[in-house]
């Protein structure tokens, strides 16, 4: 590994033993993937994936104390994934006891994050790149992030550069200000292995399309053609769509970067020259999406149980999505002759997004319909063993993949929660 003088000084312990160990760890990480040099981080803020104060994460808390006492705080402020707790989200007594035990270290961990450099108390979200949060990288910025849905969005929609780092390594890069140069940081690593031709009769559900692509290409880079029939620019609607699309590619597969022909920054500039010489082709039509959805397992104990909870917003919803869901739910309730949702429904978004949404007519309509609006991580809620046994439904492919939640397309989920079907 070729190091700059500053990087070598850190490795030699001139900024303390703790930073020296961090630099050594990052060097070993880079060399594992064939990296020969480190590159400076240029993004203004970092992003950590570990936000939850699980009682079993004692080694993490000990490590954080070591970093703090050794003066190895982050060189850049950072955002972090959503909090796992919100008293407004439905829980019975037994579930509540489990939560209090599982996340008993939450307050202590939040205090550690403040000492390490979290941006502010509202910087808890998986959609840190939204303008309301304040962590939106510029095209070409080098990042040290984890959180699969955030990384794939930053790489693809924003044109920043970041590898799919694991938790803790994301913080290590932010502390020393550099990361190993390999993979999605390089021009070659950003070229596409697959040409995906979308030939559906209508605009495909973002979650299903992302799922089909992720399960096909796994960790490879896809170049997706055919979506310019449905989007003419990367406006708010398109960004929200590809947010959910990207989360599905990253969780149902391991995609860290995708290109959308005519839309994403690199695809607009370079077009199909982004395709590698030996690229493979995958055609997605209505039948492919139908088969993809058909093969999702349902792991409820009783497949015919009535859902007890619905989650919308994994990853967190955008402001425009909150507004859209408000209108859709109101219209569907009128259609079905109801005033409130038939199933407890939780919609999640970043604290900053929720502040801007607060007091709007759309927020009022959602609350009048009985919808709960929260900042939590649905995945962390579902990973409580007692909550995991519940029949929960969602329109998130990420939540479906990591929990026992059952997936429905958005229109089907809407019909269920507003009493239009069992």
């Amino acid at each position: 590994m070729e190091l700059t003088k500053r990087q070598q000084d850190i490795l030699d312990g001139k900024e303390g033993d703790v930073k020296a160990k961090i630099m050594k760890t990052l060097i070993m990480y880079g060399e594992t993937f064939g990296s020969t040099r480190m590159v400076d981080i240029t993004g203004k803020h970092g992003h950590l994936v570990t936000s939850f104060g699980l009682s079993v994460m004692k080694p993490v808390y000990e490590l954080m104390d070591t970093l703090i006492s050794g003066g190895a705080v982050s060189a850049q402020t950072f955002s972090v994934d959503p909090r796992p707790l919100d008293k407004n989200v439905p829980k019975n007594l037994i579930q509540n006891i489990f939560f209090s035990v599982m996340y008993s270290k939450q307050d202590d961990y939040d205090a550690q994050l403040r000492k390490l450099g979290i941006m502010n108390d509202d910087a808890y979200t998986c959609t840190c790149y939204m303008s309301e949060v304040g962590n939106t990288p510029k095209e070409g910025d080098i990042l040290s992030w984890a959180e699969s849905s955030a990384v794939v969005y930053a790489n693809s929609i924003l044109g920043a550069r970041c590898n799919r780092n694991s938790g803790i390594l994301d913080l290590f890069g932010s502390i020393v200000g550099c990361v190993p140069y390999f993979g999605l940081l390089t021009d070659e690593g950003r070229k596409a292995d697959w040409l995906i031709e979308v030939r559906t009769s209508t605009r495909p559900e973002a979650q299903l399309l992302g799922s089909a692509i992720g399960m096909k290409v796994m960790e490879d880079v896809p170049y997706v053609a055919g979506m310019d029939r449905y989007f003419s620019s990367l406006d708010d609607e398109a960004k929200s769509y590809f947010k959910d699309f990207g989360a599905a590619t990253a969780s149902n597969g391991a995609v860290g970067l995708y290109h959308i022909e005519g839309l994403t920054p690199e695809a607009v500039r370079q077009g199909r020259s982004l395709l590698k010489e030996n690229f493979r082709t995958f055609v997605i039509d209505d039948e492919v999406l139908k088969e993809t959805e058909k093969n999702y397992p349902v792991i409820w104990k009783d497949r015919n149980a009535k859902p007890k909870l619905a989650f919308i917003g994994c990853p967190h919803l955008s402001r425009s999505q909150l507004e859209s869901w408000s209108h859709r739910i109101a219209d569907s309730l009128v259609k079905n002759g109801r005033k409130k949702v038939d199933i407890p429904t939780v919609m999640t978004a970043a604290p900053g997004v929720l502040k801007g949404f607060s007091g709007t007519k759309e927020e009022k309509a959602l609350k009048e319909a009985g919808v709960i609006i929260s900042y939590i991580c649905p995945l962390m809620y579902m990973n409580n063993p007692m909550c995991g046994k519940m029949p929960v439904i969602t329109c998130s492919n990420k939540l479906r993949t990591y929990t026992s939640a059952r997936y429905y397309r958005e229109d089907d989920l809407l019909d269920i929660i507003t009493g239009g079907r069992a």
Side-chain angles (χ1 to χ4, degrees):
M1 183 76 75
E2 297 177 8
L3 304 178
T4 65
K5 184 179 185 304
R6 175 184 170 276
Q7 293 162 0
Q8 187 65 52
D9 285 347
I10 293 175
L11 182 63
D12 291 342
K14 293 184 179 180
E15 294 189 21
D17 291 341
V18 176
K19 280 192 176 181
K21 291 178 180 179
I22 291 172
M23 182 64 77
K24 182 177 180 180
T25 301
L26 289 173
I27 290 171
M28 292 170 65
Y29 170 49
E31 289 178 341
T32 300
F33 290 94
S35 175
T36 58
R37 65 186 178 96
M38 305 288 283
V39 60
D40 288 341
I41 294 170
T42 59
K44 187 176 180 181
H45 303 289
H47 183 79
L48 278 64
V49 73
T50 47
S51 61
F52 31 90
L54 284 167
S55 55
V56 297
M57 286 174 50
K58 185 178 179 181
V60 171
Y61 311 132
E62 291 175 350
L63 172 62
M64 296 303 190
D65 280 338
T66 299
L67 297 177
I68 293 166
S69 62
V73 296
S74 180
Q76 52 176 190
T77 55
F78 54 82
S79 52
V80 67
D81 264 19
R83 287 187 172 100
L85 302 172
D86 182 355
K87 66 181 186 316
N88 296 315
V89 176
K91 294 183 288 291
N92 61 36
L93 178 61
I94 296 177
Q95 290 169 342
N96 202 42
I97 292 172
F98 262 85
F99 270 101
S100 64
V101 173
M102 278 185 67
Y103 298 115
S104 59
K105 297 290 292 181
Q106 192 64 46
D107 290 344
D108 293 338
Y109 187 47
D110 287 342
Q112 287 181 319
L113 293 175
R114 285 192 289 273
K115 291 178 181 178
L116 285 165
I118 192 170
M119 293 167 60
N120 52 61
D121 286 341
D122 286 340
Y124 288 81
T125 176
C126 51
T127 56
C128 58
Y129 42 78
M130 289 186 177
S131 58
E132 296 94 336
V133 182
N135 188 2
T136 310
K138 302 187 299 294
E139 184 176 352
D141 272 346
I142 303 296
L143 311 177
S144 182
W145 286 13
E147 168 49 47
S148 61
S149 68
V151 167
V152 73
Y153 187 96
N155 274 320
S156 310
I157 300 300
L158 302 179
R161 299 197 170 198
C162 185
N163 282 315
R164 281 175 53 111
N165 299 306
S166 65
I168 305 302
L169 282 177
D170 49 7
L171 178 60
F172 281 3
S174 291
I175 288 173
V176 297
C178 58
V179 288
Y181 185 69
F182 71 93
L184 298 177
L185 303 188
T186 70
D187 290 341
E188 182 62 28
R190 297 178 73 83
K191 288 191 173 181
D193 308 273
W194 291 83
L195 170 62
I196 309 296
E197 296 185 359
V198 178
R199 299 178 185 173
T200 52
S201 58
T202 58
R203 190 176 86 179
E205 191 98 354
Q207 302 276 357
L208 272 178
L209 179 63
S211 173
I213 292 174
M215 288 192 286
K216 184 68 175 181
V217 309
M218 296 309 290
E219 78 278 9
D220 289 344
V221 177
Y223 182 99
V224 184
M227 295 304 293
D228 51 358
R229 288 182 291 156
Y230 309 115
F231 299 101
S232 59
S233 65
L234 278 178
D235 57 13
D236 285 345
E237 181 184 8
K239 287 178 180 178
S240 295
Y241 178 96
F242 288 112
K243 164 182 70 72
D244 295 336
F245 162 87
T249 68
S251 57
N252 288 204
V255 174
L257 163 68
Y258 58 82
H259 302 292
I260 308 295
E261 190 165 60
L263 290 173
T264 53
E266 287 159 283
V268 168
R269 286 198 315 274
Q270 301 178 53
R272 296 198 177 190
S273 66
L274 284 167
L275 290 165
K276 294 180 179 178
E277 288 186 9
N278 58 341
F279 72 86
R280 289 173 281 178
T281 301
F282 178 41
V283 177
I284 294 183
D285 55 18
D286 296 339
E287 190 61 29
V288 169
L289 295 183
K290 181 180 178 181
E291 284 299 308
T292 298
E293 184 177 14
K294 179 182 176 182
N295 287 318
Y296 291 155
V298 178
I299 57 177
W300 293 357
K301 186 175 181 180
D302 178 5
R303 291 175 61 94
N304 298 313
K306 179 179 179 178
K308 292 188 176 180
L309 190 66
F311 269 117
I312 303 172
C314 179
H316 275 168
L317 298 170
S318 65
R319 169 73 176 269
S320 63
Q321 286 178 309
L322 285 168
E323 292 171 347
S324 174
W325 273 106
S326 174
H327 296 305
R328 292 167 71 183
I329 289 173
D331 290 344
S332 189
L333 286 173
V334 170
K335 174 185 173 183
N336 294 319
R338 294 174 179 267
K339 292 186 177 181
K340 291 185 178 292
V341 291
D342 191 50
I343 294 168
T345 300
V346 180
M347 299 177 67
T348 64
V353 171
L354 293 180
K355 281 187 175 180
F357 188 61
S358 178
T360 63
K361 61 181 181 182
E362 287 88 359
E363 184 205 37
K364 182 181 178 182
L366 285 174
K367 289 185 175 181
E368 288 178 348
V371 174
I372 299 159
I373 304 172
S374 178
Y375 49 77
I376 66 163
C377 173
L379 199 157
M380 288 297 104
Y381 176 96
M382 288 292 294
N383 277 341
N384 180 309
M386 299 309 298
C387 295
K389 296 178 181 179
M390 292 170 55
V392 175
I393 59 175
T394 186
C395 52
S396 163
N397 233 314
K398 180 174 183 178
L399 190 61
R400 174 200 71 81
T401 303
Y402 293 140
T403 73
S404 60
R406 186 172 184 171
Y407 173 82
Y408 286 94
R409 298 188 188 211
E410 288 188 5
D411 286 345
D412 294 330
L413 184 85
L414 177 65
D415 207 22
I416 294 170
I417 66 175
T418 55
R421 58 178 278 199

